[in-house]
Amino acid sequence: MSPESDPDLPAGVERRRLDGRDRLATRGEPVYGEPTDGEWRVWDAGRSKLGAMLQSGMDTGLGGGETVLYLGAASGTTVSHVADFAGPTYAVEFAPRPTRDLLPVAEARDNLFPLLKDARKPETYAHVVEPVDALVQDVATRGQAEVANRNRRFLREDGRLLAVVKARSEDVTADPEDVFEAFLDALSGYEVLETTSLDPYHEDHLAVVARPE
């Protein structure tokens, strides 16, 4: 793979050629069987909502080196890439099994801190998490707007909320467009800067970039 410069990507993230395609890549230990080239590993947008946001050209405000709070870390597919280019990265995951899988990912990254916590209860980790530059939200639960509202407390004044709204997690019977509209209506204390569908990478998902008001 050979790198291609892209000023819209955070420092530490590059576009590289693999199998005739431009692929996002970060420098770090492989996590989920992703293709690698030396110390670089492909950031698969089909398996990462934040990767899909960057691949789609959204202005996430990420420049590299930020302090990040990641909600819904699961076993580390996306948060591992974030830790590859960011500063201190707090990874909140509710389920014990994926948190166990996240531990070896963190062992290879000194700046990645797994937290077995419920993102709906930020008071349970408020004593650990410092003010952050980016709040990345990728939770599969009802009340996704309320999760963003409750965790706003950690965002710096010039920080960014990077949220992914999962329509089927909110209401499997509702029209996704109605779910997205309800999320934006319920978002409190934020100014929405940009929204975009994550199709074709992730069906019925809306990506939202916002900042604190």
Side-chain angles (χ1 to χ4, degrees):
M1 290 189 293
S2 58
E4 294 188 5
S5 176
D6 189 332
D8 295 327
L9 294 177
V13 182
E14 292 186 354
R15 294 189 188 276
R16 294 185 157 236
R17 297 289 293 179
L18 180 68
D19 299 330
R21 291 186 293 159
D22 290 338
R23 309 286 296 276
L24 297 178
T26 62
R27 187 186 282 113
E29 290 292 325
V31 170
Y32 53 99
E34 65 275 24
T36 61
D37 178 41
E39 60 186 0
W40 288 90
R41 63 193 188 104
V42 166
W43 189 350
D44 188 347
R47 297 186 62 172
S48 168
K49 284 82 172 184
L50 182 59
M53 292 172 72
L54 292 171
Q55 188 70 46
S56 300
M58 295 189 76
D59 183 3
T60 62
L62 295 172
E66 291 89 357
T67 301
V68 177
L69 173 59
Y70 193 104
L71 307 178
S75 58
T77 296
T78 298
V79 76
S80 63
H81 286 289
V82 172
D84 285 348
F85 69 84
T89 303
Y90 300 92
V92 174
E93 173 53 44
F94 175 70
R97 175 57 187 273
T99 302
R100 287 197 298 269
D101 294 337
L102 181 59
L103 292 178
V105 178
E107 288 177 359
R109 294 165 174 83
D110 293 339
N111 63 325
L112 179 56
F113 307 107
L115 298 171
L116 178 59
K117 298 291 183 180
D118 187 341
R120 295 169 296 185
K121 300 177 180 179
E123 66 276 7
T124 64
Y125 47 88
H127 63 293
V128 176
V129 178
E130 61 188 297
V132 301
D133 305 299
L135 171 61
V136 182
Q137 180 171 318
D138 184 14
V139 296
T141 185
R142 289 179 178 268
Q144 294 169 73
E146 185 58 25
V147 171
N149 294 343
R150 292 178 182 179
N151 283 274
R152 178 184 174 277
R153 63 196 288 178
F154 299 108
L155 262 181
R156 300 183 190 276
E157 291 183 3
D158 58 348
R160 291 290 184 273
L161 167 69
L162 309 177
V164 176
V165 188
K166 305 179 181 185
R168 300 309 179 191
S169 294
E170 196 71 53
D171 188 339
V172 71
T173 65
D175 184 290
E177 294 301 323
D178 292 339
V179 173
F180 300 152
E181 183 177 352
F183 173 90
L184 295 172
D185 286 344
L187 205 58
S188 177
Y190 291 99
E191 176 189 359
V192 176
L193 303 176
E194 185 179 0
T195 65
T196 193
S197 168
L198 290 186
D199 289 347
Y201 301 106
H202 303 277
E203 186 178 3
D204 296 334
H205 286 66
L206 181 74
V208 178
V209 178
R211 64 186 176 195
E213 288 185 320

